Amino acid sequence: ESELLGRPRGATRGSRGGGALLGVHLRGSDKGKYLASAASGRPVPPKEYEPLVESFLRTHRNGTVFVATDSPSFLAEVRARWLARWPASAFRWRDVLRAEENVAFSRGGKGSRSSNARKGEEVLLDVLLLSRCDYLLHSASGVAEFAIYWNLKLHRRSVHLQYTRNRQPPPWGKGEAAVERSTAVERSDSELRLGG
């Protein structure tokens, strides 16, 4: 357990020149397929993240973008579109099991049921890596939600792309001082709730 929790420390040190780290969670695979009426909604494709990625990289010249996705087609789109626009050195992702259907239930090949422990470990590592980012872009997903639970600063430093109305503006556009003030207020609130 401690070995697993220690792994993200080294993996997130790869930001360019010590710049800010943006986590991007692209939920693909089964999103919206099994529960069409669920609040999780439609898959949000990489092209909808692009304006925010561009804004982040423009604001943070030495910034790094960590991409976590379960979808091979989303990762292919990131490679084709984003690496054509920005330096490859600005992006990181892990080599994990990916499938267009829910990888947890996929059969055969690399996504076989025999690798359930690996699937669980991979999603936990993605959650922990996303939680170590300075900012987070995401759609409705338990992965992004748990990353925010691990790092409460991300609550005010994230943009939920599932929302089309009243969407929070990118936190790096507010200026770091405003983000730090809002994080300090959030920390005080959480300490009161936890009784600490």
Side-chain angles (χ1 to χ4, degrees), residues 34-165:
Y34 302 113
L35 298 171
S37 62
S40 68
R42 66 179 178 81
V44 180
K47 69 181 177 182
E48 293 185 35
Y49 287 73
E50 275 184 38
L52 293 166
V53 171
E54 179 177 29
S55 169
F56 171 79
L57 290 173
R58 197 175 336 109
T59 303
H60 296 281
R61 299 272 183 214
N62 289 329
T64 301
V65 179
F66 170 65
V67 178
T69 184
D70 56 351
S71 168
S73 64
F74 279 4
L75 184 59
E77 187 176 339
V78 163
R79 285 179 163 155
R81 294 176 61 99
W82 296 7
L83 298 187
R85 293 185 66 182
W86 301 293
S89 62
F91 296 92
R92 304 277 189 281
W93 53 78
R94 296 182 337 104
D95 182 23
V96 299
L97 297 172
R98 292 185 175 88
E100 292 307 332
E101 71 276 3
N102 186 323
V103 73
F105 304 117
S106 67
R107 298 180 187 272
K110 286 179 82 177
S112 69
R113 287 191 180 272
S114 64
S115 58
N116 283 342
R118 178 177 171 200
K119 295 173 199 175
E121 183 177 299
E122 287 179 350
V123 74
L124 178 58
L125 281 171
D126 275 349
V127 165
L128 294 172
L129 286 167
L130 289 168
S131 78
R132 292 190 174 267
C133 293
D134 299 301
Y135 305 101
L136 179 62
L137 301 178
H138 63 94
S139 62
S141 168
V143 170
E145 190 171 336
F146 280 106
I148 293 168
Y149 291 164
W150 277 92
N151 178 0
L152 291 177
K153 287 181 182 181
L154 290 175
H155 178 70
R156 302 223 180 170
R157 291 178 155 215
S158 64
V159 178
H160 194 312
L161 278 88
Q162 204 74 54
Y163 300 138
T164 55
R165 292 187 349 214

Side-chain angles (χ1 to χ4, degrees), residues 5-18:
L5 292 174
R7 279 194 224 169
R9 288 188 187 96
T12 55
R13 287 194 192 117
S15 63
R16 299 181 303 157

